[in-house]
Amino acid sequence: METTSSTPVTPLWDVFPQRTLEAVDIAVLVLYFVFVLAVGLWSMWKTQRSTVKGYFLAGGQMVWWPVGASLFASNVGSGHFIGLAGSGAASGIAATAYEWNGMFSVLVLAWLFLPIYIAAGVTTMPEYLQKRFGGKRIQMFLAILYLFIYIFTKISVDMYAGALFIQQALHWDLYIAVVGLLAITAVYTVAGGLAAVIYTDALQTFIMLIGAVTLMVFSFVEVGGLEGLQTKYFDAIPSSRKENSSCGLPRKDAFHIFRDPVNSDLPWPGVLVGMTIPSLWYWCTDQVIVQRSLAAKNLSHAKGGSLMTSYLKILPLFMMVMPGMISRILFPDLVACADAEICRKICGNPSGCSDIAYPKLVLELLPTGLRGLMMSVMIAALMSSLTSIFNSASTIFTMDLWKHFRPRCSEWELMIVGRVFVLLLTVVSILWIPLVQAGQGGQLFIYIQSISSYLQPPVAMVFILGCFWKRANEKGAFWGLVIGLLLGVIRLVLDFIYPEPQCGETDLRPGVVKYMHYLYFSMVLATISTLTMLVVSLLTEPPSEEMISRLTWFTRGDLPAKTDLAVSPSPDAAKGVCEAERPALQIDISIASENSSNDNKCPANSKGNSKLLTTLLWLCGMERKQQSAENAAAAKPEPLPGAALEEKPLVKHVLNINLLLCVCAGIFLWAYFA
């Protein structure tokens, strides 16, 4: 092991020597924050956020480009930059398969699933299942499961990646930095609702693309283009590895997406089928993604947004995975360390340090000023995915759980609950930090990724069958979910008990964990859930007419039943908000806030109170134009969901041609890199 002493590295293996950002970098960061807050506040002024639809669905008034940008920004979190670059450094381009799978899934969302969701007129995904299958248990079960998945997988992974960057690259105090970030995001998420989140996401996407493409150009210039990358990658071997083992050597199949079906890290049948199922769950039935598409003005705009996202999804290979591989070429001793002890010294993670690939590249290659830009890119990625999760989780909590316990609550109450829940989530995220630091082993977060492939397939199959098979009923869906999730949890527990051995150790895991790759397991799980659902549905009574009308692909064009038309002039009525209660409460409060300063009931502190109340109400967008909003609501009944499904022939043709182009581009990329 004498090789280590000759390497010119400080005993503590300080990976990120430049401790401080220059003044220019700081200025860029500050500018970035000012920009984001400005956009957030501008969108708060611009949109109507005093109704449930305005707050949770941005009033359904978004055009295609913010929708597309927001889909992309919600999807690409800080975990993507760190994780994709890391797996690029560790094993080559195979992880791109996740991204390119998404290219197709997001198009499936817009062309197949969205028409059904729009016709059904739903706000949340559990709400759709409740309408489609009736009963409350599936809705409650899923609402709780979704909140669980968000809080445990999404928030924690993003917090981990963001923390890695802030702590290791900037040497800031983690708690102060994270609390600051979350405070900024909570301000516009709480106050502005989905519209603010979507507009700031659009800005973040723009910043992420500029920054990441800049870094990509710098790194490719450094290794001499794609040819240089392909030749030098295989020589990127750490100096401190054991001679006779294969540890620390680059994989032979590093430049292939399709790999050996039995012994590789991502077997190709698993990539084609097993990966598609969680991918369909994520793009077609996940609240975060669907909520953005539902906020679009009409179906054409939603399709346009999906196309934009799909085109953007081509970039991660070149923007994140390949720079990760280049990082390995430039710093093989750090990024590709093979010896557990040395790795522990470098980044505190005995199983490998590929996670530092991207931050290392940012701090070493970029000139002053651009470094600040890349820092804001990472923070943008963190903030955009966190705000999206906050908004969607609060939608699910408010519309599915709260409304279940208080069916007669006013719209006013829903707005307050939604906003308070965002604040709660902010606190939860801050409480995650110590856990994130404890699990800095990085292994923890690989598990969290596999959690999703164990819990998502049953949910995905329930949605797919519910949307495309009229005979599916509540009992079938419920048992399909329960059995699938039970099996998933069992496998999850096994994975926790028997972790993957480190390179060079013998594998002592039981066969089902050892030989059953998690992508194959996802296929088996989906099959079992589907079969359960088919069998139980066929053995029990078929669903009633109103559970199929406008709720499946074949019935999405049905005319709404006459009774519906009579009862629901506005979407709030359809959502079970009792109309009589709402205006009274709202007018009450708005009158109170306007007149309480010259009110005689409490002369002592009324002035201060009313000012405070008015400010608070303004921040939450709940004070202005309440009467006018009500008059408008009374004057113009909400258009029926069917109206949003109609498309202009010309627009439709343009979109379909683009769809073909996009699919062809996707297939070409798969074939070329397979």
Side-chain angles (χ1 to χ4, degrees), residues 423-568:
L423 292 175
L424 264 176
L425 280 177
T426 332
V427 176
V428 167
S429 310
I430 293 170
L431 296 179
W432 257 113
I433 301 174
L435 286 174
V436 163
Q437 280 177 307
Q440 207 97 44
Q443 284 302 315
L444 179 65
F445 293 89
I446 298 166
Y447 290 147
I448 285 184
Q449 286 308 332
S450 59
I451 284 186
S452 50
S453 58
Y454 300 147
L455 298 184
Q456 293 162 359
V459 183
M461 298 323 290
V462 165
F463 271 98
I464 292 171
L465 285 175
C467 288
F468 299 102
W469 187 47
K470 290 201 249 182
R471 184 68 178 73
N473 65 14
E474 198 265 352
K475 294 190 176 78
F478 182 73
W479 288 111
L481 265 181
V482 170
I483 289 172
L485 287 169
L486 271 177
L487 289 173
V489 169
I490 292 170
R491 166 75 197 241
L492 197 63
V493 172
L494 282 177
D495 262 16
F496 269 110
I497 303 173
Y498 302 106
E500 206 173 320
Q502 281 170 19
C503 179
E505 293 178 3
T506 45
D507 195 338
L508 302 168
R509 299 176 294 170
V512 66
V513 182
K514 188 165 152 187
Y515 300 114
M516 183 86 160
H517 191 275
Y518 66 86
L519 289 174
Y520 287 149
F521 185 76
S522 137
M523 289 153 72
V524 172
L525 201 54
T527 314
I528 294 176
S529 298
T530 311
L531 286 176
T532 311
M533 198 167 160
L534 288 170
V535 172
V536 178
S537 290
L538 289 171
L539 291 179
T540 50
E541 69 285 344
S544 64
E545 192 52 45
E546 68 263 19
M547 284 177 195
I548 302 175
S549 171
R550 302 182 69 80
L551 293 168
T552 67
W553 174 254
F554 309 102
T555 57
R556 65 188 192 284
D558 289 8
L559 286 171
K562 290 286 185 290
T563 50
D564 289 3
L565 285 176
V567 181
S568 60

Side-chain angles (χ1 to χ4, degrees), residues 646-668:
E646 285 161 18
E647 299 176 89
K648 296 192 179 110
L650 175 68
V651 177
K652 196 172 178 174
H653 289 317
V654 171
L655 286 169
N656 287 339
I657 291 167
N658 256 304
L659 171 72
L660 279 175
L661 282 176
C662 201
V663 170
C664 293
I667 292 173
F668 168 74

Side-chain angles (χ1 to χ4, degrees), residues 91 96 149 151 203 218 230 238 273 304 390-391 427 487 493 509 519 538 545 561 603 650:
S91 68
T96 319
I149 289 181
I151 292 170
L203 171 72
F218 271 92
Q230 285 174 340
V273 184
F390 286 173
N391 186 274
V427 176
L487 289 173
V493 172
R509 299 176 294 170
L519 289 174
L538 289 171
E545 192 52 45
L650 175 68

Side-chain angles (χ1 to χ4, degrees), residues 204-371:
Q204 317 262 39
T205 301
F206 186 59
I207 292 173
M208 279 199 286
L209 290 177
I210 292 177
V213 169
T214 315
L215 180 60
M216 175 181 89
V217 171
F218 271 92
S219 50
F220 271 117
V221 167
E222 190 74 23
V223 290
L226 202 54
E227 271 82 53
L229 170 64
Q230 285 174 340
T231 47
K232 293 178 188 167
Y233 181 75
F234 295 104
D235 305 330
I237 300 168
S239 53
S240 63
R241 75 183 192 86
K242 303 187 184 71
E243 281 311 306
N244 52 2
S245 76
S246 65
C247 299
L249 289 177
R251 292 184 64 97
K252 294 272 182 293
D253 52 8
F255 285 92
H256 300 290
I257 289 184
F258 283 179
R259 299 183 171 181
D260 184 284
V262 186
N263 320 332
S264 68
D265 54 344
L266 284 174
W268 68 262
V271 168
L272 279 182
V273 184
M275 197 183 271
T276 310
I277 299 162
S279 171
L280 280 176
W281 173 85
Y282 179 77
W283 287 101
C284 303
T285 71
D286 184 12
Q287 183 65 26
V288 174
I289 298 294
V290 177
Q291 193 171 349
R292 270 145 199 66
S293 310
L294 285 175
K297 260 186 180 155
N298 54 33
L299 190 55
S300 306
H301 279 285
K303 286 182 176 178
S306 286
L307 276 169
M308 174 175 166
T309 310
S310 189
Y311 283 126
L312 288 175
K313 291 292 276 181
I314 295 173
L315 295 173
L317 170 67
F318 309 100
M319 243 169 41
M320 300 165 202
V321 180
M322 286 185 172
M325 298 168 82
I326 292 172
S327 184
R328 173 172 180 146
I329 296 173
L330 300 178
F331 320 105
D333 283 349
L334 301 179
V335 174
C337 69
D339 188 275
E341 282 314 301
I342 296 172
C343 288
R344 186 177 275 119
K345 283 181 197 153
I346 296 178
C347 61
N349 177 358
S351 53
C353 287
S354 55
D355 276 357
I356 62 170
Y358 205 80
K360 185 81 181 131
L361 214 53
V362 170
L363 291 173
E364 296 287 339
L365 281 190
L366 289 181
T368 318
L370 282 178
R371 221 175 294 150

Side-chain angles (χ1 to χ4, degrees), residues 76 122 163 173 275 383 386 456 494 556 577 606 654:
V76 176
V122 291
D173 180 288
M275 197 183 271
M383 282 170 58
L386 278 183
Q456 293 162 359
L494 282 177
R556 65 188 192 284
V577 176
S606 62
V654 171

